[in-house]
Each structure stands twice: as structure tokens, then as C-alpha cells.
Amino acid sequence: VEEYTFRITPKATAVIWNTAESYTYDGEAQGPTATYETVNGEVLNLVVTGLGINAGSHTASVAEDAAGGNYTLTGLECGYEIAKAVASVIWQGGSYTYNGQAQGPGASFNNVHGDIVYLTVSGLGTDAGSHTASVAEDAAGGNYILTNLEYDYEIAKAVVNVTWSVADYYIDNEEVQGPHAYIVNESGEMIELSILNLGKESGEYVAEIDLSSVNPNFELSGELQKSYEIIPEKAFGNGGIALSVVLGAILFVIVIFMYFYWNKRMKGDRGGKNGIKKFFSKPKNKQSVEHFEGAGNTSRQGKAQKQSKNNSKYTSKSKGPDSFMPIEYYFKSIDEAYSEASSCRFDPENPEKSYYIQNEALNKIIRLLAAYRSQRR
């Protein structure tokens, strides 16, 4: 019997790749499947490796001996693409008011697992007005294509209250003058506003805020205008300020004169030192007290006022040389007359009345000085 040696070679069989029309990222490994056909016509599955998860290009493969020793597989690789998943940006908008900081909506999307993922937003505005926030198409990473990438929104102006600072204004031909206006900005700082229609001459004015100079991020609330007056002189019409100073000096001299004069007289009348102190002590000779309207209630008047039925006037019972008015009366009366004259403001429309009030006050001071001098003789 003869023996023959022979060899049966494996059958060359092509791998059959089963690819889908497309693959889209879903967070799982995915790709084509592979089969082969046996000599008996059966279709058997093969183990595929190299399946991709992320979006992009991938190559699936089958081992050459994956079908066993009787088959030699060909067409071992299959290239394919996984497309990016499409996700719509979800905008979290709201209302916005200027605060000096960048502000605007937030953005997010839902990933393939249903999780909320927040995105980086650009184009956020700071100033009041219209703005467009945006998200980059690839902001979610390489596995997603984002849609609804822009969001339009408004930042409203901040409403700030206007505060006016108003004083008395007197004529000053060198500089304009008038009220000041302030607001508090977003940082809590007080900002002075520019004012129009400030005057130099006497008269009535309406100051108004220069809106063109106001920060466009602010909307002013409150009075935008303020009426005020520039007065011709502080007192006594023309040359009033100087005259007020002169009157003050005169009053000071009068007080000093009366103090030393009365101190000297009291020393002479009652003897000893400290004549003023002696004035407030009980006099040796009876003194009459005459009450004038506006005079203060002194210790010397107290007894006479308690005994009189008319509290507004007392009549002297003694006409002798010792009758006198208390020094406090002159001090107070002269001070009242000076205050009356100082408080008088010149009225351009009725100058006669202003001068009349001023002259009456001055005449009152002169009469008081004359009465005081006459009484002390």
C-alpha cells in the first residue's frame, strides 16, 4: 500500500462588513459588525475590535484567524465615522440693571446621558443697552455640535436719585453761582453733576442738570431743575456786607463802653470795687423800674412786676436822679435792633421799603444810645 502526503489549505474567505448608514455619538462604543460565509453556505459572526466611542474617524478590524484554521479571512478592516451629537443651548435669561459689572444670561445643555452641563458664555455686557451673549459651537467638546448659540438681551439703566444742595446766594460778579446736584453711583460714590444756567447777576434763575454730561448708564430720578435767586446784597442794599461789618463793630464798641461806664458809675454811686456786681445787689436807695416791651425780667424788675396788675408796663414812682433802666435792657434792645437791620434784604422792586426798615433799625439804636446817655447823667 502506497502512502501519499498532501495538504489541504484554508479556504480564503472575505469578511462581510455590516455597516450602518451613519453613527452618531451616544457615549457608547459603536461601529460595524463582521461575518463570513462557510463552505456550507452558513453565515457566521466574527469578533470585531477597535470600535470607537467618541465622534470622529475609527477603524474596526477582525483577526485573520478569527474564523478558525479552515479559513483565511481577507478584508480584515473597515473604516467608519461617528458623527457629533447635536445639542441645543438652553439659555437662562432674566432682567438686568446696570451695576458696573459684566452681566447676562447663563447657558447649558443636556448631554447624551441626560445630565445638565453648563457652558462658557462670551459677549456679556457691562453698560446699559442691547447686548448679544454667545456660546462657541464646540464649547461642549468634540462630541457635540451646539445650536442656538446666541441670546439677545437688555441691560436697563440704573435709576439714581438726584440730591440738590441749595444755599443763599449773594451777588458776585466774578463767579457764576447756584445750587449743586449729586447722585450716588454704582460704587456708592457721590458724583457731582454738571449744571447749566448758573448766574452771576442778581435775579431769579432755574438751574438744570446738563443731561449730556450724565453717565448714559444712569436714569435720573427726582428734580432735574431747581429754582433759585441771587440776592443783590446780603443786607442793606448796595454796600450792605460792609455796612453789616461796621454795625457789628459799633455794637461791640457800645457793649464795651457801657460795661466800663456802668462799672465806673456803680463804683461812684455805691462805693467799693466791682461796680457791676453791686448793680445786681440790693440798692441802698429805692430804684424805680420801667418795663419796655422786649426787655428781660431781671432781679431788680421782679419785685415791681409781682406787685403790678399790668405785666406789660411799669411806671416809675420816683422821678429823682436815681431812676434808671437796667443795663440788660439796653444790651438786649440794641442787639434786637441790630438783628432786625441785619436780617433785612434789599428788594429791588421795593427799595423804599428796604431802606425804611434799615433806617428805622439804625434810628432805634441811636435813640437807645441817647436814652442811655441821658439816663446816666
Side-chain angles (χ1 to χ4, degrees):
V1 178
E2 293 184 0
E3 293 182 356
Y4 295 93
T5 300
F6 63 95
R7 184 169 184 264
I8 301 174
T9 59
K11 179 177 175 57
T13 303
V15 175
I16 302 168
W17 289 101
N18 306 302
T19 60
E21 291 185 4
S22 63
Y23 300 94
T24 301
Y25 172 77
D26 62 2
E28 303 292 339
Q30 57 182 317
T33 61
T35 61
Y36 75 101
E37 185 176 352
T38 67
V39 294
N40 298 323
E42 295 179 285
V43 177
L44 301 178
N45 293 323
L46 296 169
V47 175
V48 179
T49 59
L51 296 181
I53 297 176
N54 294 320
S57 299
H58 300 276
T59 300
S61 63
V62 171
E64 186 178 18
D65 60 353
N70 291 323
Y71 298 91
T72 298
L73 298 175
T74 61
L76 300 178
E77 295 181 344
C78 177
Y80 69 101
E81 296 283 335
I82 297 178
K84 295 180 180 182
V86 177
S88 178
V89 175
I90 302 169
W91 291 98
Q92 295 87 41
S95 60
Y96 307 96
T97 301
Y98 173 77
N99 61 8
Q101 305 295 323
Q103 56 182 320
S108 64
F109 77 101
N110 294 323
N111 68 12
V112 294
H113 303 294
D115 301 322
I116 297 175
V117 180
Y118 291 97
L119 300 168
T120 299
V121 179
S122 59
L124 296 182
T126 300
D127 294 331
S130 300
H131 301 275
T132 299
S134 63
V135 170
E137 188 178 27
D138 60 352
N143 291 319
Y144 296 92
I145 294 177
L146 297 176
T147 60
N148 190 28
L149 299 178
E150 294 183 341
Y151 183 86
D152 295 330
Y153 69 103
E154 297 281 335
I155 296 178
K157 294 183 178 183
V159 178
V160 292
N161 292 321
V162 176
T163 300
W164 288 91
S165 175
V166 183
D168 291 332
Y169 305 102
Y170 303 99
I171 190 167
D172 182 354
N173 293 323
E174 298 299 325
E175 300 290 340
V176 295
Q177 56 182 326
H180 299 267
Y182 304 88
I183 60 172
V184 177
N185 68 9
E186 72 280 1
S187 302
E189 300 172 329
M190 182 169 285
I191 304 298
E192 183 172 1
L193 302 175
S194 178
I195 305 298
L196 301 175
N197 300 335
L198 297 179
K200 288 198 286 187
E201 305 294 336
S202 62
E204 295 182 353
Y205 295 88
V206 178
E208 62 180 73
I209 296 171
D210 182 3
L211 297 180
S212 65
S213 68
V214 177
N215 187 327
N217 293 307
F218 295 126
E219 179 179 338
L220 302 184
S221 174
E223 294 181 286
L224 302 184
Q225 297 179 330
K226 179 65 71 172
S227 298
Y228 73 102
E229 181 182 3
I230 296 180
I231 302 166
E233 297 293 345
K234 188 170 184 179
F236 302 105
N238 296 328
I241 297 177
L243 187 54
S244 297
V245 174
V246 171
L247 282 177
I250 292 174
L251 180 60
F252 176 78
V253 171
I254 291 171
V255 171
I256 297 300
F257 167 78
M258 294 177 71
Y259 175 86
F260 286 105
Y261 180 85
W262 184 245
N263 193 48
K264 180 178 179 181
R265 178 179 176 83
M266 291 302 294
K267 288 180 180 179
D269 289 347
R270 300 181 186 175
K273 299 179 181 180
N274 299 323
I276 289 295
K277 291 183 179 179
K278 288 181 175 293
F279 168 77
F280 294 101
S281 63
K282 185 177 180 181
K284 295 179 179 180
N285 298 324
K286 291 184 178 180
Q287 307 284 339
S288 64
V289 180
E290 181 174 353
H291 176 78
F292 286 82
E293 184 175 345
N297 182 21
T298 65
S299 60
R300 295 178 61 82
Q301 293 172 314
K303 185 175 181 181
Q305 289 176 339
K306 292 179 182 179
Q307 294 175 351
S308 174
K309 294 182 180 180
N310 185 353
N311 290 328
S312 65
K313 186 175 181 181
Y314 294 90
T315 305
S316 174
K317 295 180 180 179
S318 173
K319 303 298 181 180
D322 292 328
S323 298
F324 69 94
M325 282 302 300
I327 192 171
E328 292 90 344
Y329 166 75
Y330 293 100
F331 279 20
K332 183 173 182 179
S333 298
I334 291 174
D335 183 68
E336 288 175 350
Y338 174 76
S339 298
E340 180 179 327
S342 298
S343 63
C344 176
R345 292 177 176 173
F346 183 73
D347 184 359
E349 297 181 358
N350 193 359
E352 292 80 10
K353 179 180 178 181
S354 301
Y355 287 123
Y356 173 80
I357 295 174
Q358 298 159 12
N359 291 335
E360 281 297 298
L362 292 173
N363 288 334
K364 184 176 181 180
I365 294 175
I366 294 172
R367 289 195 300 270
L368 287 167
L369 291 174
Y372 176 81
R373 181 181 181 187
S374 175
Q375 177 175 290
R376 298 308 174 215
R377 287 178 178 174

